[in-house]
Amino acid sequence: MVQSTGPKKIKCSVFISGTGSNLKSLIQFSKKKNSPISIKLIISDNAKAKGLKFGKIFKIPNKVINYKNKSIAEKKIIYELKNKDIRIICLAGFMKILSKSFIKNFKGKILNIHPSLLPKYKGLNTHQRAISNNEKYSGCTVHFVNSRLDSGKIILQKEVKIGKFDTPKSLAKKILLQEHKLYPKAIKKLFNL
Ligand code: GRF
């Protein structure tokens, strides 16, 4: 359980690599009165990440981190997070794998959203794999991040029915819509809201 500090919002950082539609939904959520989080920093490993523009619209500071050297990159990120007194990290389409020591540093404070019903379909190409296996349902999961990929404690999941004519692309679209609702819900759940 992440401890809330009363009426003050918890300082949060969102990590992205690309489109940032989950970032957008988290920003909208964070602006609500009953949201327990306030997004104070966006981290991206990609200067061209489309999502960076959402942060700019809301004047949320961002740092683009060069990931040529992972250990240096993570040191820089930790510096930025401590500098802004960040208490909770939301990974939202962040395509880099965090090191064990980074995760240890923020134990129990890192969340991720994954486009499958974990523990099924960890890793990439989740929609293609679910369709190829003739699954009737797929969905999305918000979970804590631990040192094993997509394996941390599950906070919340949402099922999405796979239609007869779904392609990986159409399924991704359907699931993404649910992701935008699930991430805020999972954060509320964490704070018992
Ligand atoms: C989402 O499907 C998320 O579950 C996965 O990467 C995608 C990111 O989408 N980890 P966006 O950048 O939030 O639009």
Side-chain angles (χ1 to χ4, degrees):
M1 183 71 50
V2 181
Q3 287 300 312
S4 164
T5 53
K8 264 182 116 186
K9 292 192 178 189
I10 301 290
K11 293 175 184 164
C12 170
S13 175
V14 182
F15 288 21
I16 62 165
S17 296
T19 315
S21 66
N22 278 291
L23 166 67
K24 188 181 173 192
S25 95
L26 286 174
I27 293 175
Q28 284 163 345
F29 167 63
S30 73
K31 298 291 174 193
K32 292 188 177 161
K33 225 178 173 180
N34 67 349
S35 162
I37 59 158
S38 169
I39 300 170
K40 298 289 187 195
L41 178 66
I42 296 162
I43 295 283
S44 175
D45 63 311
N46 171 14
K48 292 186 179 142
K50 275 193 195 162
L52 288 170
K53 72 172 189 283
F54 298 128
K56 283 188 184 140
I57 293 170
F58 288 91
K59 299 194 167 59
I60 299 169
N62 73 66
K63 287 283 168 198
V64 175
I65 305 290
N66 182 329
Y67 245 83
K68 260 186 195 150
N69 179 315
K70 180 165 167 166
S71 151
I72 295 175
E74 288 194 345
K75 279 197 183 111
K76 281 189 189 154
I77 295 176
I78 290 172
Y79 171 82
E80 298 295 342
L81 296 174
K82 302 244 153 141
N83 195 24
K84 293 231 167 342
D85 196 23
I86 298 297
R87 298 303 165 97
I88 181 168
I89 297 170
C90 292
L91 306 183
F94 186 61
M95 297 306 283
K96 300 290 179 197
I97 293 176
L98 297 168
S99 71
K100 280 187 183 158
S101 73
F102 185 100
I103 293 167
K104 226 173 146 190
N105 228 300
F106 292 92
K107 201 168 172 254
K109 306 274 193 281
I110 313 175
L111 314 183
N112 182 40
I113 187 150
H114 183 77
S116 79
L117 293 174
L118 290 173
K120 280 192 166 179
Y121 307 113
K122 297 172 184 173
L124 297 174
N125 301 321
T126 55
H127 309 305
Q128 178 65 66
R129 288 187 284 146
I131 291 171
S132 302
N133 281 346
N134 293 318
E135 298 282 3
K136 297 270 175 290
Y137 289 91
S138 187
C140 43
T141 304
V142 176
H143 64 95
F144 284 108
V145 171
N146 66 11
S147 56
R148 282 169 298 116
L149 185 71
D150 300 327
S151 298
K153 190 172 175 240
I154 291 171
I155 301 165
L156 217 55
Q157 290 186 306
K158 174 75 185 172
E159 273 187 355
V160 173
K161 200 170 178 7
I162 303 180
K164 212 174 164 187
F165 301 105
D166 265 323
T167 62
K169 205 172 160 190
S170 68
L171 183 59
K173 214 169 154 186
K174 278 199 226 170
I175 291 178
L176 200 55
L177 282 177
Q178 296 305 322
E179 290 184 37
H180 299 157
K181 295 182 197 162
L182 192 72
Y183 220 156
K185 247 186 173 177
I187 291 172
K188 275 187 163 176
K189 186 179 171 198
L190 265 189
F191 290 93
N192 284 327
L193 293 173

